[in-house]
Structure formats: C-alpha cells, structure tokens
Amino acid sequence: MLMRIVLPVVVLIAIVLPLVTSGWDAFLTLVWAKALPVLGIILLLQAGQVSFGHAMFFATGAYTAGFVIRAIPGGEIVIALAAAIGASVVAGLLVGVFVVRYRYIFFAMFNLAFSMVFFSLLEKFIHITGGSDGLSIPRPEVLGQAMERSEYEFVLYYLALALLVICLYGVHRFLDSPLGHTLKAIKTNETRIEYLGLSPRRVLLIAYIISAFLAGLGGALVAVFQGIATPEYAYWVRSGEFVFVAILGGTGNVFGALAGSFVFEYIRVTATAYVGDTWQLTLGLVLLVIILFAPSGLVGVINDIRGYLKKDPVASGHNKRPAGKTEKQRGEEQ
Amino acid sequence: MKSVSIAALGLAALLPFQAVAQDKPEEINIGITTFTSGPASVFGVPGQEAARMLAENLNEAGGIQGVPVSLSFIDEGAGAETLTTEYRRLVQDENVDVMFASISSGNCINIAPLAEDLEMLNILWDCGTQRIFEEADYRYNFRTQANATPEMLAPLLYLLKNNPDFETIAVVNQDYAWGRDSWELFSTALKQLKPDVEVVGEFFPSFGASDYSAEISRLLATQPDVILSTSWGGDLDTFVRQANQRGLFNNSQFVLPLVESSLERLGSDLPDGVIVGGRGDHYFLHPEYKDGEELQDFVAQYRERTGDYPIYPAFHMAQAFAALEAAYDKAIEANDGAWPDREQLVDAMEGLEYRGHGRPLTIREDNQAIEAQLIGTTKHVDGYDFPIIDNMMIFDGADLMPPVGENSIEWIETLDESFVEEVSADEYQHEE
Amino acid sequence: MSLQILVLTVLDGIAYGSLVFLVAVGLTLVFGVMRILNVAHGSFYALGAYAAASLGLVLSAWGISAWFAYPLFIVAAVAVGVSVGGLMERFILRRIYVREEYLQLLVTFAIFMILDNVQRLVWGVQPYFYTEPLSLMGNVTIVGIPYTAYQIIFLPLVALFILFGLRWFLRKTLAGSLIVAVTEDREAATAIGINARKVFFLTFIIGTTLASLGGALDSPTTSVLPGMGADMIVLSFAVAATAGLGQIGGAAIAALLIGLGRSSAVFFMPELEVVVPYLIMVIVLLFRPEGLFGKTTARKI
C-alpha cells in the first residue's frame, strides 16, 4: 500500500517541488541523502540487530568521494560516488566479517568500538584527512560539465532523490525475497535457519554489506553537497542519530527511512531556528514521545490513521524476556 | 520583514533597470554563527552577549547611519549540516544583510565557499586558521581580526626577546586542527629563529580531556625549559590547575598564547611569570586605551551584563561591528550619500580601516585584517583576584605576517635568527 | 630513569583507571540487572560534577572549611542520583522494560540529549572549578615526582572501597541478594514473589548515584563544563564492554587496563593516547566477544 500509492505520490511531489518553490531544495537534498544510512539501519533491524557504528561507513563514503574529487583535475561526481560505493562495500565486508558473529548488544557495541577507532584515526592523520577541520571538497564536474552552485545543487537534488528511490525500492524487494525472509528469521529463531542448512552469519553479512553501501552512498552525497567531510561524520552521536531516525520513521517499512529523515531534519532545523538555546531539549523530547507513545514510528502513525490496525512489530516484539511480559501483565492486573 | 522584501521587490519591478540610489532599509539584519552549546560555548556565549550589547548600544545611538540593526543567531554546536542549512535560510529566506561566521575554523572553511557562491558579505569574526585566505581568493569573505600566524609568532618573539636562554621545549596541545596547526607554526618558526632548541615532548591529549596527570608526570620527569600550550577553555583551565598543583610551574617557563580568555577563571591558580597572550591586542587594561572612555565603558557595561571581564571573543565581536559600521560609512560616502547595495558594501570592505578596542586595524587586499599583538607576563597585583598582564609588548601585526599571496609556513621557513632583532615592539608596564 | 618512567606509568594508570572505574561501575551494574545500556549515564556524571562544584563554591563563599566538601560530595551525588535517576526510572524507563534493547538504548539517548541541554540552562557554559579538596590533601612525592594525594591515594582508595562495598552489598545484604536473584533469573525471582519493579528502581538509583559520585569526585581535578558527559559515556562503554557487561570486578580490571594503556601511550607513543581505550576494546572483543570476564549467553532454541 505504502509502496504502491504513498511513495509514488511523495516522489511526484518531490520532483515537482523545486520547480515551483525555492528554499526547500538544500534542506531536502540532505534529507534524501541522510535517509540512505537510515535505510541501512532499518535493513539490519529486520534481523533484530542494531548498529551503533554505521557512521564509520557514512564517513568512509564521504572521505572517499572527497579524495577522488581532489585527485582528479576538475573532479567527477559519477566517479566519486562509484568510488565511495566501492570503498564502503569493501569496508562493510571487512568489518562485517567480524561483527556478524555477534548479536544484540554485543553487535551494537562492537560496531561502536570500530567506528570510534575510525573516528580517532580520521582526526589523527591530519596531513591526509585535514584533521578535525575536515577535508575540503571542491565542486566536482557532472559528466564533464563544470557547474555553478545553483545548477549543481539542482542536479544533486534530483540525483539524491533518484538514488534514494532506487534504494528504497531495492531494499523493499530484497526484504520480500527468500534471502530477506531468512534475514527476518534471524530475529525470531536463528537456530531454525541453521537446521534448514543456511548460514545466518552469511545472510547477515550480506545485509550488513548492503547497509554499509547505503551509509557510504549517503555520506558521499552529503559530502559532495556540503563540500566538506569531517571526522564528526564518523562520531558515535551520528551513528546514534541514524538509529534514532529509523525508530522515528518506523522500522516496519523501508518508507520509514524517508519519513523519519524528513521529520528529524525538520525538527532539528526548526528548533535551531526558533528555540536556539533548547534545540537539543526539543529534539530529545520529541523523540522520547515518539518512542513512548508511537512505537511503530511515523509510518505506523500513518497506517493507524489509515485505519490499518496492523500488529505493531515493535511493541509486540518477540521479547527475549518472558519475565518482562509477566511483569507487564502483572502491572496491568494491579 | 517579509513585507519589506515584497515591497522592495515591487519597487524594483517599477523601476527601470539601472543603478538607482537605494532607499534606506528599515533595519540592517546581521546573522551570527556562534557556539551556544558544547565546550566552545565558553567563547560563543561571551561573543553572543557582546553582540547583543553592541547592537543595543548602536540602536540607542540611532543605528548605523540612522538604521537600527537586528540580530539572528545560529548555534555552531548543532552540527555542520544544520549550520549550513540555517546559514542558507538566513541568507535566502530571511534576507540578512551581512553574516558573521564563525568561531570554529572548520566551520569557517566550510562556510566561506558557500558565502562566496551566495554572494553574501561574510565576516569571519573569530576563527583563526591562516589557511582560509592563503588557499583561496575570496570577494565576499573578510576576516576582521588576525590569524594564527601572527598569533603564534608574537609569543615566540616575546619569549626569544625576554627569556632567550632555553634549550628544551615541550608542547601540550588539544588534539584537533587548531592544536596541530598552531604547533606547526610555532615549531617551524622556532627552528628558524633558534635552531639549537630540542623538542623533548609533543603531547596532543584529546579535545575535552579531563585529566592531564600522565602528561604532567612525564613533563615533571623530563623538565623541559619551556612548555607551550595553545589550549583554551576548560581544557586549558584543567591543565594549568593540575600542573600548578604538582609544581610544574617551578622549573619550566610556560607560554600560553590563549590564556587571556581564562585569566579570571584561573585566579590564583595561574602563578606569576607565565607568558600570556589573547589572540590580538585584546585586553581590558590595554595600556594605550585603558584610560579612554570607550574601553572603560565597554568593560563596565560588559561586566554589568555578565559579571565577568570581557575576553577576546567579546573584543572580536566589537571589531566585527566596528568594521561593519566603518564599511557602511565608507560605502555611503563613496555613493554620494546614498544607501549602498551589497556590492558597494563589499567594495568598501576592501582596504577598510576601523578600530575595535585595541589599535586600529586595516584589511589587506587578501581580505585579511592586520592586527597588533599584545603579549605579556602574568603578575598578581592588588585590586584583582586574578593575574593581570605585566611587562607587555605590543607588536605591529604587519611585521608578523607573510606578504599577500604567500603561504605562512613557506614564509616562516625563509626567516632566520636576525628576525628576532628586526621586529620591534612597544613595551609597557602595568600601572595601578 | 627507565625504572622511574615505569613507576610513573603505573601510578598514572592507576589514578586514571580509578576514576574511570568509579563512573563505569554504575553503568555495568545497571546493565547486569536491567539489561539496559544507559547512555544518559554520562549526563549523571556531569550533573554530579556540577552539583558538587556548585556546593563547593557555596562553601567557599560562606568561608566553611573545605574538609566539609568530602561529605558534601556524597550528599550531592546521592541527591542527583536519587532524584533525577529515580524520576527517570519511574516515569520513563518503567514504560519500556518490555521493549527491545535498542529501543531502551534510544530512550536513554534521548534523555542524554535532554539532560545535556538542561545542564546548560541551569549552569551556563563557563567552566566551573572547585579545587580546595584537592589542595587540602597536598602532594606526595614518589620517585622524585610530586603527585596530588587526592588523585594517587584518595581516588584509588575510594574506587577499592566502592568495588568491595558493592560486592559485599550484593552478597551479604537482603537488598543485594534480591538484585542478584533478579539478575540471575528474573522469571524465577518474580515467581517466588520478588518485586522486580522495586529491584529495578533500587538498582537504577544505585547506578546513577555511582555515576554522579564519579562526577563529584572528579570535579576537584578537572574543569566542569558543557559536553563533559559525552566523552565519559563512551569511555565507560569501553570499560564495561572490555570487562564484559555486568561484570563489576571485571570492570575494575578493565578500567585499570585502559588506564595503564593510556599512560603507557603518553610515555611511549603520545600519538596513540586518544585511541587506546577503543583499541583495547576492539582487540578484546575480537577474541572474546562477551568481554574479558563475561559469560556467554545461552542461545534460545
């Protein structure tokens, strides 16, 4: 339903918007780009795993794009994005081989550890990466065309939108495939997969590499749009943000990545503009309310509004702690 | 605000396309990026307070050429993407007339090309990296204070003029761009001006480190003659206090080029005899101006608002305001008394002469201001419960900067030992 | 000379490790019992530091001896831990115990953001500093190098006291036994009538109090300023994960390991200092995913 009706409508609006209004383009370009890593997080969440280190792939993509553009005279955005994808896939494979052995909190922690080492290295190798000031990225050419900022940003808007739509659709299809179903089974009963003669680790590794690719592509897009890549791209707070946005949007559906990304960025920008000194507080409160009162995220809210009393995949979670459930029931009885 | 711009649009549509004298706007909107969250808010909030105070004073006096100013702030602590998004919003939707950005060098590097493309007059009001105008040519970006090169050369020259007999040096800097870059400038210059000095320790504890015990133990064991730290804020306070507690000041000469911003907080924890600076000639007891009404009023008013003496970010903000006022005056004069458009205002910024609360400043042709540097030595005196600056030397900024278009490091590498004698400084003692 | 360096490295490692342990132990205790990784733990560290520094400055202003600061630190830590921690558990965490781990993690992340901001609104942005307790104890000279008695003797002693006190509490008292029972097997514990809610509440308050005690004890040695909680939380995670989540004795050893790693880096490879805690964590987790002392969790079938 979402994929068939809402998404095309949203995409149509997104395509028309820059042609009729101004002032939204820059904001939305970042929304499209930052929805990609969130999509990767949602993919891993299907297997019940959450990574608190995906900012490392975001930064990998960003810095790779930056290095490539600086290395080629004039720079070429297509080559830069391709290189960023390649680098983040390789990084995803290297890190993934280690982390897919772990589950739940260990998986989250291990990703965090890797990303913090990576963050420190980006700050350390100042002569290569520019240290904490970051790596300046000159405006690249687009298919050999040098552009002014306004046309470049116009192109980037549609490029990011197109890539996002392709990725949303791709991940959606992937989750419907046998592989995707196996991935979801890791969350419910991993041992059963082994009895079926499949390797949960291998399935998770594939998902992990896809999520790293999505994060890397998002990072590369943000970097070429901003004209800079900084170590902060790899910091744990950013990783936390990706997970946050995934929950905010709703993890039951790939569409949550887009909805969450839009709302999160909107709140942040609006809060910074109008409640300057309390933007963190505002953001924190909004997110708290979402988690406490709308556990299936914005997409869930949309679904509820549309009269779908879909069983909520988060609230009814296959809790690994039956005791917790009795706790809850007891609470209800009292 | 919106109605004004719509009215302006309507007006523009009615007029034939030619240069026309603009009407005076209802107000001049200034957008300011500063840290109101995170560790750098120790600079950001004083800067913000100073901006509000300056704007109020300006408006009480009738504004700039009769036009009042209004301020909008962006928190640099909100992250790079939010910062640029907000920056665009102020420029494109709110139609600000001028932007002051920013404190962080990383943010300056990030914003300068954006401002250039948006054709927005952008005043780099506090950041220090010398790379900005050495690595790119800008029309719309101007820095209204010195950069890291003179800010590092001045304390080094002071050291070489006053305590030239040292053989070893160690550095403890924050592990981020400023800490690294400032050490590169300082150490490169030291190698040229006093080649026989040995560097016996290079420590770069993480930004925001809460503990320097291990570094201090190591320094106590190696006993370098000189210890340099260009750290600032809470990091510097912690380092100084822990070092003082363990007697590190007893046998090493400390050089702290940014400690002017921590003097009042450190109080008696900062002993006498430490070489100190404040990124320019920013000092509430500036020997050449302390008896003048302007500085006295500024200090008194700032203290009334915040309870503290003004520190260099507040002075930097005053310089940005002074430059803007001077630019409007100059542009209006050049425009035969009519209100200037933005391009005319930008033209006026080039070669501008103005004054904050220190010596007069000039903006050179690479859009970089030349600013004097005040360095001195701490001393506790009656009347202040924190050390004041004594044995002051004020250097002329022009002597400490590479010629326009040259890279600082490359220029420093052409200097030799005679440079110490060549550069002169005016000397002052603290007077009660 | 080299022997001196070795001694200094060990001393600095102990001093730093003690402090990190004080903060990390609460995090690991809470995780062990409640299976919640509390990101807001770093905020409690910061709140404790702010509260202690503010109280200390009040003492100075009234001309009261700084010896009173020590009991005040405990008062400040308990006040922050019980009030803020209690409210957080009662009104927010209690609603999410039946949710997935990562959601709980995120809720605490949101609280971390909120508390960080609240801190700034209450205390502003200028660094606070209250050093009298540190100066009072004076210096001790070891191998010719002056150390502050506070950092080299007092803090490690407090850390040891907390470590053994906590172990005694968990093993020898009724409340402690209840906590252990819930940790070992929540279902069985609930079945025999233990009120898991109360146990959780108690545990969480102990955890947050320990975090703010760490902050209070740290306040004489460092600047209390915005953003101090963020670094501490990652460091505490590193300690807890290296030891194995929920391992209290292990956390002490891991904290010492990270402290020694950091001081060795300062003495022998200054460039590595910043990366050391995370490197140790990665290396340990590569070989022992459950941490040095962690138990492997049984797989459900």
Side-chain angles (χ1 to χ4, degrees):
Chain A
M1 187 72 198
L2 273 170
M3 289 306 283
R4 277 205 316 271
I5 297 172
V6 180
L7 188 63
V9 170
V10 170
V11 170
L12 202 66
I13 295 171
I15 290 172
V16 176
L17 202 65
L19 308 173
V20 292
T21 64
S22 69
W24 282 86
D25 319 4
F27 168 79
L28 285 175
T29 309
L30 287 172
V31 169
W32 311 146
K34 284 169 145 187
L36 288 163
V38 177
L39 185 61
I41 298 289
I42 288 179
L43 178 65
L44 288 176
L45 277 168
Q46 302 306 311
Q49 307 307 317
V50 61
S51 160
F52 271 85
H54 259 52
M56 66 182 139
F57 304 118
F58 189 80
T60 303
Y63 275 88
T64 307
F67 287 136
V68 168
I69 287 170
R70 288 168 70 107
I72 305 171
E76 173 54 58
I77 194 164
V78 178
I79 301 174
L81 291 180
I85 290 169
S88 47
V89 165
V90 171
L93 177 67
L94 292 176
V95 178
V97 165
F98 292 111
V99 297
V100 296
R101 292 162 28 200
Y102 310 125
R103 294 293 175 270
Y104 304 111
I105 209 78
F106 299 113
F107 181 87
M109 296 294 290
F110 208 26
N111 273 293
L112 173 75
F114 267 114
S115 75
M116 284 308 288
V117 171
F118 187 57
F119 165 77
S120 305
L121 293 178
L122 288 176
E123 285 216 313
K124 277 271 172 251
F125 288 97
I126 193 158
H127 288 294
I128 305 170
T129 62
S132 63
D133 274 355
L135 184 78
S136 304
I137 305 171
R139 190 157 49 240
E141 291 172 355
V142 181
L143 299 171
Q145 290 280 315
M147 291 186 170
E148 284 299 306
R149 181 182 287 264
S150 54
E151 12 171 25
Y152 172 73
E153 287 184 354
F154 190 75
V155 168
L156 215 51
Y157 175 93
Y158 286 108
L159 179 65
L161 178 63
L163 288 169
L164 174 65
V165 171
I166 292 167
C167 292
L168 279 172
Y169 185 72
V171 171
H172 178 71
R173 288 297 301 269
F174 173 82
L175 290 175
D176 250 355
S177 70
L179 209 57
H181 287 290
T182 317
L183 184 72
K184 288 177 190 167
I186 293 177
K187 184 174 177 175
T188 46
N189 196 332
E190 195 170 326
T191 322
R192 196 183 300 159
I193 304 176
E194 286 174 25
Y195 287 148
L196 291 171
L198 300 164
S199 161
R201 273 188 198 175
R202 192 166 304 159
V203 176
L204 190 57
L205 181 61
I206 292 168
Y208 193 86
I209 292 171
I210 296 173
S211 71
F213 145 77
L214 290 165
L217 181 60
L221 285 168
V222 170
V224 295
F225 179 75
Q226 290 278 5
I228 196 162
T230 66
E232 187 268 336
Y233 282 21
Y235 199 52
W236 69 272
V237 171
R238 193 177 282 268
S239 296
E241 240 165 54
F242 294 153
V243 182
F244 234 142
V245 176
I247 308 296
L248 177 72
T251 55
N253 188 301
V254 294
F255 194 65
L258 179 55
S261 180
F262 177 83
V263 171
F264 182 86
E265 292 298 322
Y266 189 76
I267 294 171
R268 176 147 74 178
V269 168
T270 320
T272 314
Y274 298 105
V275 287
D277 287 346
T278 55
W279 64 269
Q280 276 176 300
L281 186 76
T282 315
L283 199 59
L285 283 173
V286 169
L287 294 160
L288 208 53
V289 166
I290 290 273
I291 295 175
L292 292 178
F293 303 105
S296 49
L298 297 163
V299 173
V301 173
I302 296 169
N303 276 334
D304 288 347
I305 291 170
R306 288 183 33 247
Y308 267 77
L309 290 169
K310 214 173 67 175
K311 214 168 151 39
D312 165 21
V314 181
S316 68
H318 30 269
N319 209 301
K320 299 185 307 298
R321 300 190 297 271
K325 272 199 182 129
T326 47
E327 216 3 73
K328 187 181 178 186
Q329 286 153 3
R330 282 184 44 198
E332 282 161 1
E333 284 159 17
Q334 280 162 9
Chain B
M1 187 53 235
K2 278 248 156 66
S3 61
V4 176
S5 54
I6 290 167
L9 276 173
L11 205 65
L14 292 175
L15 293 165
F17 276 99
Q18 48 178 277
V20 287
Q22 307 222 341
D23 280 355
K24 272 192 186 181
E26 283 186 22
E27 54 180 12
I28 296 170
N29 292 296
I30 306 173
I32 301 175
T33 71
T34 183
F35 280 95
T36 55
S37 63
S41 47
V42 300
F43 290 152
V45 171
Q48 188 182 35
E49 280 300 323
R52 288 182 174 142
M53 179 177 111
L54 291 158
E56 282 170 27
N57 291 349
L58 201 53
N59 290 345
E60 267 172 37
I64 295 179
Q65 295 271 357
V67 180
V69 298
S70 71
L71 308 178
S72 323
F73 292 100
I74 307 175
D75 180 13
E76 289 182 52
E81 287 101 280
T82 307
L83 179 68
T84 50
T85 308
E86 272 302 284
Y87 191 95
R88 286 164 186 273
R89 190 183 64 85
L90 287 184
V91 172
Q92 292 171 322
D93 304 348
E94 304 288 325
N95 297 314
V96 296
D97 298 286
V98 57
M99 290 294 299
F100 292 179
S102 49
I103 287 183
S104 142
S105 288
N107 289 340
C108 276
I109 292 170
N110 191 358
I111 281 177
L114 176 66
E116 202 66 14
D117 289 341
L118 297 172
E119 299 183 344
M120 182 74 214
L121 171 56
N122 187 51
I123 290 179
L124 287 64
W125 72 274
D126 188 66
C127 58
T129 180
Q130 76 284 4
R131 295 187 174 154
I132 300 239
F133 296 113
E134 289 179 9
E135 291 178 1
D137 272 336
Y138 290 113
R139 166 163 169 77
Y140 294 93
N141 288 278
F142 297 86
R143 181 172 5 219
T144 49
Q145 76 283 349
N147 63 33
T149 308
E151 288 165 7
M152 286 302 113
L153 283 176
L156 175 60
L157 288 173
Y158 185 97
L159 177 72
L160 294 174
K161 281 174 184 283
N162 294 290
N163 317 58
D165 306 324
F166 64 99
E167 287 159 14
T168 53
I169 186 167
V171 61
V172 183
N173 276 6
Q174 292 152 310
D175 190 12
Y176 83 115
W178 166 259
R180 299 275 175 177
D181 289 351
S182 56
W183 170 239
E184 188 182 22
L185 288 164
F186 193 97
S187 58
T188 309
L190 180 63
K191 215 172 287 163
Q192 299 301 119
L193 307 185
K194 196 171 163 56
D196 53 347
V197 172
E198 189 194 351
V199 177
V200 293
E202 293 180 87
F203 303 103
F204 291 95
S206 64
F207 182 84
S210 61
D211 182 61
Y212 296 86
S213 297
E215 282 86 359
I216 291 168
S217 301
R218 176 88 198 267
L219 291 168
L220 285 163
T222 45
Q223 298 205 348
D225 298 332
V226 175
I227 296 173
L228 167 79
S229 178
T230 66
S231 303
W232 49 265
D235 296 14
L236 177 64
D237 298 3
T238 304
F239 176 59
V240 165
R241 287 197 163 99
Q242 291 187 350
N244 187 33
Q245 182 73 34
R246 293 173 62 184
L248 188 56
F249 283 88
N250 300 343
N251 35 29
S252 295
Q253 170 66 57
F254 270 68
V255 180
L256 305 173
L258 268 68
V259 82
E260 178 268 349
S261 55
S262 288
L263 288 176
E264 199 178 355
R265 283 197 307 269
L266 285 169
S268 56
D269 288 322
L270 186 67
D272 285 4
V274 173
I275 296 175
V276 298
R279 292 191 56 205
D281 61 339
H282 316 293
Y283 183 36
F284 73 95
L285 292 174
H286 195 298
E288 291 162 349
Y289 299 101
K290 69 179 169 59
D291 300 327
E293 216 167 281
E294 281 181 33
L295 182 57
Q296 283 180 353
D297 285 352
F298 180 76
V299 173
Q301 220 188 337
Y302 185 88
R303 286 193 70 194
E304 203 176 312
R305 282 180 83 100
T306 64
D308 301 321
Y309 284 96
I311 55 174
Y312 80 73
F315 286 107
H316 276 170
M317 189 56 85
Q319 281 168 210
F321 268 82
L324 186 66
E325 267 190 279
Y328 268 106
D329 293 350
K330 186 176 160 188
I332 287 171
E333 197 176 330
N335 204 19
D336 304 327
W339 196 258
D341 61 15
R342 183 169 307 150
E343 296 300 322
Q344 291 168 317
L345 187 62
V346 171
D347 289 339
M349 286 293 294
E350 288 168 21
L352 187 74
E353 291 175 11
Y354 59 102
R355 216 198 108 221
H357 292 290
R359 285 187 182 179
L361 300 112
T362 314
I363 292 184
R364 341 192 276 189
E365 57 197 275
D366 60 354
N367 297 4
Q368 166 65 53
I370 303 170
E371 180 178 40
Q373 298 290 326
L374 184 151
I375 308 289
T377 306
T378 49
K379 185 180 177 188
H380 284 80
V381 296
D382 288 341
Y384 296 97
D385 53 8
F386 58 92
I388 54 84
I389 306 178
D390 195 22
N391 295 333
M392 290 168 273
M393 277 188 172
I394 300 182
F395 295 87
D396 187 351
D399 298 341
L400 309 178
M401 289 167 85
V404 171
E406 281 190 39
N407 170 293
S408 284
I409 296 287
E410 286 166 12
W411 171 72
I412 288 172
E413 283 167 346
T414 65
L415 303 177
D416 58 30
E417 293 167 60
S418 63
F419 186 72
V420 181
E421 295 309 315
E422 278 168 27
V423 176
S424 62
D426 299 320
E427 300 185 35
Y428 297 92
Q429 298 302 318
H430 175 74
E431 295 160 7
E432 292 305 322
Chain C
M1 182 67 197
S2 62
L3 181 69
Q4 185 197 32
I5 294 285
L6 196 68
V7 172
L8 296 182
T9 309
V10 171
L11 288 177
D12 286 318
I14 291 172
Y16 187 70
S18 309
L19 184 69
V20 176
F21 168 75
L22 281 173
V23 184
V25 68
L27 182 84
T28 207
L29 172 76
V30 167
F31 184 85
V33 178
M34 302 160 72
R35 302 280 151 209
I36 284 186
L37 254 187
N38 180 16
V39 180
H41 199 76
S43 311
F44 286 95
Y45 164 82
L47 286 173
Y50 268 113
S54 310
L55 283 173
L57 293 171
V58 169
L59 279 191
S60 312
W62 291 352
I64 300 170
S65 159
W67 287 111
F68 287 99
Y70 298 104
L72 260 185
F73 282 172
I74 297 171
V75 172
V78 172
V80 168
V82 172
S83 60
V84 185
L87 288 171
M88 176 173 162
E89 199 280 342
R90 175 67 191 76
F91 291 104
I92 298 166
L93 294 189
R94 194 165 287 188
R95 297 164 179 268
I96 56 159
Y97 288 140
V98 295
R99 301 280 196 82
E100 289 163 311
E101 277 172 1
Y102 66 85
L103 275 177
Q104 299 169 344
L105 198 64
L106 279 176
V107 162
T108 63
F109 184 69
I111 296 171
F112 163 77
M113 286 174 82
I114 293 168
L115 287 178
D116 208 49
N117 203 154
V118 166
Q119 222 168 270
R120 217 171 52 234
L121 295 172
V122 175
W123 282 284
V125 297
Q126 292 300 317
Y128 277 67
F129 220 104
Y130 176 63
T131 44
E132 274 80 348
L134 184 83
S135 331
L136 269 187
M137 288 200 175
N139 287 0
V140 285
T141 303
I142 306 171
V143 291
I145 300 295
Y147 273 97
T148 60
Y150 186 92
Q151 283 172 288
I152 210 72
I153 297 171
F154 178 69
L155 282 185
L157 284 178
V158 173
L160 284 175
F161 175 78
I162 296 281
L163 172 63
F164 290 107
L166 210 53
R167 289 172 70 132
W168 172 84
F169 168 77
L170 291 174
R171 288 176 189 176
K172 304 283 182 199
T173 65
L174 177 62
S177 312
L178 294 181
I179 290 178
V180 174
V182 172
T183 313
E184 297 284 324
D185 189 341
R186 191 181 310 175
E187 224 169 328
T190 334
I192 59 168
I194 294 174
N195 185 340
R197 261 191 184 185
K198 279 189 179 157
V199 170
F200 275 20
F201 186 72
L202 181 69
T203 308
F204 193 73
I205 283 182
I206 294 174
T208 52
T209 302
L210 285 170
S212 50
L213 183 66
L217 290 171
D218 199 11
S219 66
T221 70
T222 187
S223 303
V224 181
L225 75 171
M228 70 187 296
D231 289 336
M232 207 30 134
I233 186 63
V234 188
L235 204 58
S236 302
F237 275 159
V239 169
T242 306
L245 285 162
Q247 300 298 316
I248 289 167
I253 293 173
L256 197 59
L257 197 67
I258 282 176
L260 288 173
R262 183 172 168 270
S263 61
S264 313
V266 170
F267 279 87
F268 305 108
M269 291 189 74
E271 280 300 339
L272 276 182
E273 183 202 345
V274 179
V275 200
V276 159
Y278 313 117
L279 271 183
I280 291 178
M281 176 173 162
V282 166
I283 291 163
V284 167
L285 291 183
L286 275 179
F287 295 102
R288 281 188 64 90
E290 62 282 358
L292 286 175
F293 308 94
K295 303 180 188 68
T296 41
T297 41
R299 304 233 331 236
K300 53 176 180 143
I301 297 187

